[in-house]
């Protein structure tokens, strides 16, 4: 497990991340399409380090594929930030990739919202106590 995370930490390009994902799961047409859509949807987004943002969801998909070869889960991992960080809506994901993928993406989005809300509340509470 640690070797997986050590390898992932050193990946910082879309090409390397894609190769890692392709080593983790057999690629279907749907998975290839989701990968290309992910890259396209995030093409103008970059991390503070300058790394293309799409590297993150591709690596999340690699980790997901390591634990499960469920194609819907891997596709959802690729698309988990599309609804939050781009102009695409969940309906687009559902129409293109199906209801299962859309439900998983929606669930991941809700987890992010809860995490963000809890983090903001915790920080606010800590400030009040100090």
């Amino acid at each position: 497990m640690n070797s997986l995370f050590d390898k992932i930490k050193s990946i910082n390009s879309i090409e390397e991340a894609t190769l890692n994902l392709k080593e983790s799961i057999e690629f279907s047409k749907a998975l290839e399409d989701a990968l290309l859509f992910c890259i396209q949807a995030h093409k103008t987004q970059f991390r503070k380090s300058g790394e293309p943002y799409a590297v993150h969801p591709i690596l999340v998909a690699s980790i997901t594929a390591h634990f499960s070869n469920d194609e819907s889960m891997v596709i959802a991992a690729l698309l988990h930030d599309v609804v939050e960080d781009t102009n695409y809506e969940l309906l687009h994901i559902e129409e293109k990739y199906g209801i299962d993928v859309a439900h998983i993406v929606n669930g991941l989005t809700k987890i992010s919202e809860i995490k963000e809300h809890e983090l903001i509340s915790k920080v606010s509470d800590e400030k009040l106590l100090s």
Side-chain angles (χ1 to χ4, degrees):
M1 174 78 95
N2 285 341
S3 62
L4 171 68
F5 291 117
D6 289 340
K7 181 179 180 182
I8 285 176
K9 285 181 198 175
S10 69
I11 296 174
N12 59 11
S13 73
I14 290 173
E15 295 76 19
E16 291 173 296
T18 299
L19 181 60
N20 190 67
L21 178 59
K22 287 184 176 184
E23 291 171 354
S24 303
I25 189 169
E26 187 175 323
F27 256 57
S28 66
K29 184 175 178 350
L31 195 50
E32 183 72 34
D33 182 71
L35 172 67
L36 295 174
F37 178 64
C38 168
I39 293 168
Q40 182 275 327
H42 294 294
K43 71 181 176 208
T44 61
Q45 298 171 328
F46 296 88
R47 292 187 153 316
K48 289 179 184 176
S49 65
E51 174 181 293
Y53 188 81
V55 171
H56 164 72
I58 297 169
L59 292 177
V60 170
S62 293
I63 294 168
T64 303
H66 179 79
F67 291 104
S68 170
N69 279 331
D70 183 286
E71 186 175 78
S72 292
M73 288 180 64
V74 176
I75 290 172
L78 280 169
L79 305 178
H80 78 274
D81 281 335
V82 169
V83 174
E84 289 182 18
D85 298 336
T86 73
N87 291 329
Y88 292 99
E89 295 185 9
L90 192 59
L91 183 59
H92 180 82
I93 302 296
E94 182 179 337
E95 289 171 351
K96 193 163 181 160
Y97 300 101
I99 191 81
D100 290 343
V101 170
H103 280 306
I104 297 167
V105 169
N106 191 41
L108 292 170
T109 301
K110 289 190 184 314
I111 289 170
S112 295
E113 290 171 3
I114 291 168
K115 183 178 166 186
E116 185 175 307
H117 174 73
E118 291 298 318
L119 181 61
I120 290 170
S121 296
K122 185 176 180 179
V123 170
S124 296
D125 290 346
E126 288 174 0
K127 285 182 180 180
L128 289 174
L129 294 174
S130 54

